[in-house]
Amino acid sequence: MGPENEVVYIVDDDAKVRDALSSLLRANGKVVRLFASGTEFVTFERKDTAACLVLDLTMPGMNGLEVQRVISAQISIPIIFITGRGDIPATVKAMKGGAVDFLTKPVDETVLLAAVENALEKDRVARLEALGHADLLARYRSLTPREQEVLPLLVSGLLNKQAAFELGITEYTVQIHRGHIMRKMKADSFATLVKLATRLKLEQSRLPGKE
C-alpha cells in the first residue's frame, strides 16, 4: 500500500480543533478520520494500513492516556499527543507508553506536519519489519520437526558430524537436512542462514513448530 492509503486519525472533543487539524492535514495530502471521543475511536474498526494517531490528552470520559493504554494492547500505532495544558507527569506517562511526540495547543502547523510525517514513517518501517518477520517465521515453520532441531545446532557452529552425534543420526542425514533447510529458509549461503536464525533468536529460545 502506498502513502495514498495512509490515514491520520484525530481524536479530540473540541470540534474547532478537529476541523482545524483536519483542514491542515488534508491540504497537505493526508487522508484524515475524525473522532469526538476516545470511546468512539477505540471501538472503530481501523484500516489495515500505515497510520498515526493525533490524540487529545484531556477529554471527558476516556482521556488520552486511557485511549493509549487500550489501543496499545490491541495494535501498534504511533501516537502524537496534543494538550492545552503543560502537564509534565502526563507527558512522562505518554512517552513511556510509546508516544512519538507531545505538542501543546495552539499547535504550530509546521511542527504538527513534521510530527505526523515522522509518525507515519515510523509506522511504515514497523509494518515492513513485521511483514518481514512474519515471512521469516513462516519459512521456519515450514521445516520439519527434525529440521528445526538441526538448524540451531548448525548455526551454533557445530560441524555436520557433531550435530549428527548430538541428535543420534548419521552425518549424511544431517547433510540432507541441511540442504532442505537452506532451500526452505531461502538462504543463498550459510552466512545468510546464520543471519536468519539470529533474527529468529534460535540461540535464545525454541520457537513453536508445526502443529
Side-chain angles (χ1 to χ4, degrees), residues 176-196:
I176 296 297
H177 286 317
R178 178 172 176 152
H180 291 165
I181 291 168
M182 294 285 289
R183 176 177 55 80
K184 291 179 181 180
M185 293 295 292
K186 299 179 182 177
D188 56 8
S189 69
F190 185 69
T192 299
L193 184 65
V194 172
K195 290 178 182 177
L196 295 176

Side-chain angles (χ1 to χ4, degrees), residues 68-145:
Q68 181 187 37
R69 185 169 60 251
V70 170
I71 64 173
S72 65
Q74 302 171 346
I75 59 168
S76 174
I77 182 172
I79 299 175
I80 300 165
F81 274 98
I82 56 173
T83 180
R85 303 184 182 90
D87 190 334
I88 300 301
T91 302
V92 173
K93 285 184 180 180
M95 291 303 185
K96 284 185 176 180
V100 298
D101 221 328
F102 200 97
L103 310 178
T104 55
K105 300 177 184 177
V107 179
D108 181 274
E109 294 185 356
T110 302
V111 173
L112 176 65
L113 290 172
V116 166
E117 200 52 59
N118 177 59
L120 288 173
E121 178 61 20
K122 283 181 180 293
D123 204 40
R124 291 178 204 125
V125 171
R127 290 173 64 82
L128 284 174
E129 289 177 348
L131 287 172
H133 186 75
D135 176 64
L136 180 56
L137 193 57
R139 294 186 224 171
Y140 174 80
R141 287 177 171 156
S142 74
L143 303 180
T144 65

